[in-house]
Amino acid sequence: MNAIPRMVRCDAGSEHVIIRDIQFALHSFHHGNMSGENSFTVGRCTANQRIEMVWSFLKRSFTQSWRNIFKVMIDLNLLNNADNLHIQCRRFCFLSVIQMHLDRFRQTWNVHRIRSEPNGEVPTGIPNVICYQTLRYGARDCSCHLACSIVVLDDIADSYTEAFPQYGCSREFRDLLELINGQNLHESDLPASPNDAKVLFIEMISLLDTM
């Protein structure tokens, strides 16, 4: 779909600065009352009840359990958050499992039914259906045609985004692991559970501390 949002609304959080800048950049090719800086607005987070509900549910069912895992590891002196080697190793061992759990959460959330609310102004139902079968809800297309070339999009991506490092850790750390293992990391099996990741972390830190 060669289109972008006509308007993006966010709260005043600093994490939305890049979203704002990208929205401005994409709308710099348009003219009219919704172009440029008019394509982004800031409002109070109290109006974002749906997404705040998602964050609340995510914290209860996902985030807190991972915080507890790492807190126990710190309390047992297995993990040192001030040691860059521990940080790199934790990313390598745990990120794939965390991502797998996040994917499960997303899949579960997107097929659950959102209950109706008194005086609700947004559709109720299953998120996947709401998103992909918008005509059932009388939705109106509020997107704008993307009036720029793929080259411009690549330039915007280079200016405002940063490639996520492979396995979540630095190139130097990945080289060190390959040197120790004597094989390419692509040939290694990543942990499939939090306990597997914890065992691997302990083994790797023990080995690295002896070098």
Side-chain angles (χ1 to χ4, degrees), residues 125-136:
I126 299 173
N128 274 345
V129 177
I130 297 173
C131 180
Y132 295 110
Q133 300 182 28
T134 54
L135 294 179
R136 293 181 55 179

Side-chain angles (χ1 to χ4, degrees), residues 66-84:
W66 279 104
R67 286 180 176 175
N68 293 339
I69 288 173
F70 294 131
K71 182 179 185 304
V72 170
M73 292 178 65
I74 292 173
D75 292 342
L76 294 175
N77 294 320
L78 298 175
L79 171 63
N80 181 1
N81 273 334
D83 189 325
N84 184 59

Side-chain angles (χ1 to χ4, degrees), residues 8-64:
V8 171
R9 181 188 185 281
C10 296
D11 59 37
S14 59
E15 68 274 16
H16 298 135
V17 172
I18 294 178
I19 296 176
R20 178 202 64 194
D21 291 344
I22 292 176
Q23 180 75 352
F24 287 170
L26 292 174
H27 274 275
S28 63
F29 299 92
H30 294 129
H31 303 284
N33 60 356
M34 298 296 289
S35 63
E37 296 185 0
N38 293 328
S39 64
F40 184 90
T41 185
V42 175
R44 295 178 60 190
C45 62
T46 52
N48 305 333
Q49 295 181 5
R50 279 286 166 82
I51 191 61
E52 294 298 331
M53 181 178 66
V54 175
W55 299 148
S56 176
F57 188 80
L58 181 65
K59 180 179 180 180
R60 294 195 307 271
S61 63
F62 176 86
T63 309
Q64 193 58 51

Side-chain angles (χ1 to χ4, degrees), residues 8-209:
V8 171
R9 181 188 185 281
C10 296
D11 59 37
S14 59
E15 68 274 16
H16 298 135
V17 172
I18 294 178
I19 296 176
R20 178 202 64 194
D21 291 344
I22 292 176
Q23 180 75 352
F24 287 170
L26 292 174
H27 274 275
S28 63
F29 299 92
H30 294 129
H31 303 284
N33 60 356
M34 298 296 289
S35 63
E37 296 185 0
N38 293 328
S39 64
F40 184 90
T41 185
V42 175
R44 295 178 60 190
C45 62
T46 52
N48 305 333
Q49 295 181 5
R50 279 286 166 82
I51 191 61
E52 294 298 331
M53 181 178 66
V54 175
W55 299 148
S56 176
F57 188 80
L58 181 65
K59 180 179 180 180
R60 294 195 307 271
S61 63
F62 176 86
T63 309
Q64 193 58 51
S65 62
W66 279 104
R67 286 180 176 175
N68 293 339
I69 288 173
F70 294 131
K71 182 179 185 304
V72 170
M73 292 178 65
I74 292 173
D75 292 342
L76 294 175
N77 294 320
L78 298 175
L79 171 63
N80 181 1
N81 273 334
D83 189 325
N84 184 59
L85 189 63
H86 280 231
I87 294 173
Q88 296 286 329
C89 192
R90 176 174 61 176
R91 291 174 178 172
F92 178 82
C93 295
F94 285 93
L95 273 181
S96 61
V97 182
I98 293 174
Q99 185 61 59
M100 180 176 62
H101 287 189
L102 277 173
D103 291 341
R104 289 177 183 172
F105 174 85
R106 172 180 53 81
Q107 292 165 2
T108 301
W109 183 266
N110 284 342
V111 297
H112 92 292
R113 182 172 295 278
I114 300 174
R115 293 178 295 180
S116 60
E117 302 173 359
N119 302 318
E121 297 181 357
V122 293
T124 61
I126 299 173
N128 274 345
V129 177
I130 297 173
C131 180
Y132 295 110
Q133 300 182 28
T134 54
L135 294 179
R136 293 181 55 179
Y137 298 88
R140 179 167 56 93
D141 186 359
C142 295
S143 63
C144 291
H145 175 68
L146 186 57
C148 63
S149 67
I150 190 66
V151 175
V152 174
L153 289 180
D154 289 340
D155 290 341
I156 292 175
D158 290 340
S159 300
Y160 295 105
T161 63
E162 182 177 335
F164 186 76
Q166 194 174 23
Y167 301 104
C169 48
S170 68
R171 175 71 261 183
E172 294 75 15
F173 184 78
R174 299 198 302 271
D175 290 342
L176 177 61
L177 293 184
E178 291 183 347
L179 179 64
I180 294 173
N181 292 332
Q183 64 179 5
N184 194 295
L185 290 182
H186 295 298
E187 302 171 2
S188 304
D189 293 328
L190 293 175
S193 70
N195 188 63
D196 290 344
K198 181 179 177 180
V199 170
L200 179 61
F201 175 86
I202 294 173
E203 292 177 348
M204 291 179 60
I205 288 297
S206 177
L207 177 61
L208 291 170
D209 284 344

